[in-house]
Amino acid sequence: MMRLIRIVVGKIILFFDAVIPVKKVCVRGVEESARIQKELDTMAVYQFEACPFCVKVRRGLRRMDLKIDYLDAKNDPAHKRDLTELGGKHKVPCLRIRKDGKDEWLYESKDILEYFEQRFPCETPA
Ligand SMILES: N[C@@H](CCC(=O)N[C@@H](CS)C(=O)NCC(=O)O)C(=O)O
C-alpha cells in the first residue's frame, strides 16, 4: 500500500515538474557556459527520478542554466553501491564533486543548491 502511494505521489510530482515552467535567472554567454561546463563535467548528482528533493535540485539547476549528469541511484546497482559505499549513505539527492583525484560527497538539497549558487554566481541576471 505504501509503495502504491509513493508511486502515485511520484507521478504527481513529475506531472507538476513537467507542466510548471522553470524561470531562468541566468543568461550565460558562450564562453562562460563552456568554462562552467568543464567544471560541471567533474560532478554528478545521484538521484531518484520522482524524489521531491531531487526535483527541487533539478529545477534549481535549470533555473541557474547549469547542466550536469544525473545518476539513477534507485535502479542502477552500480550507482546505488557507489552512493552507499563511497558517499556514506543511500540518500538522495547527493552531489559528487571530483577534486584533485578525490571525491567529495555533498548531501541535502538545500546545501547542494547553495553550493552551485556560490560556485557559479549569475554574472548576467535574466
Ligand atoms: N533533507 C533531505 C531529504 C532527502 C530525502 O529524504 N531523500 C529520500 C528520497 S525522497 C531518500 O533518499 N530516502 C532514502 C531511501 O529511499 O533509501 C534533502 O533535502 O535532500
Side-chain angles (χ1 to χ4, degrees):
M1 188 60 182
M2 279 308 288
R3 188 174 139 73
L4 182 65
I5 293 171
R6 233 179 283 143
I7 290 171
V8 172
V9 172
K11 296 278 177 210
I12 293 170
I13 288 168
L14 289 178
F15 170 77
F16 281 108
D17 180 36
V19 297
I20 300 172
V22 171
K23 192 176 179 300
K24 281 202 178 138
V25 294
C26 291
V27 179
R28 300 190 194 273
V30 177
E31 277 179 24
E32 188 193 357
S33 292
R35 177 180 55 77
I36 287 176
Q37 194 56 52
K38 271 192 185 167
E39 297 185 44
L40 290 170
D41 290 344
T42 65
M43 304 176 204
V45 172
Y46 289 74
Q47 63 148 13
F48 300 164
E49 197 198 2
C51 159
F53 304 99
C54 303
V55 172
K56 176 178 144 188
V57 167
R58 294 203 300 266
R59 291 180 71 85
L61 293 187
R62 266 150 60 197
R63 199 174 302 121
M64 288 181 253
D65 201 18
L66 300 173
K67 291 170 195 71
I68 194 167
D69 275 347
Y70 292 101
L71 306 178
D72 184 345
K74 191 182 229 41
N75 302 304
D76 186 313
H79 295 326
K80 188 173 177 175
R81 189 196 55 228
D82 286 350
L83 177 64
T84 310
E85 293 179 9
L86 306 175
K89 49 189 169 180
H90 187 242
K91 195 173 177 198
V92 292
C94 177
L95 174 65
R96 193 193 72 213
I97 309 154
R98 188 151 294 150
K99 200 175 161 198
D100 303 328
K102 282 188 187 158
D103 283 330
E104 285 175 23
W105 300 80
L106 181 63
Y107 288 88
E108 290 299 322
S109 52
K110 181 173 174 287
D111 296 344
I112 293 170
L113 289 175
E114 278 175 10
Y115 176 86
F116 281 113
E117 278 161 14
Q118 282 168 21
R119 181 156 172 181
F120 305 112
C122 210
E123 287 170 20
T124 317

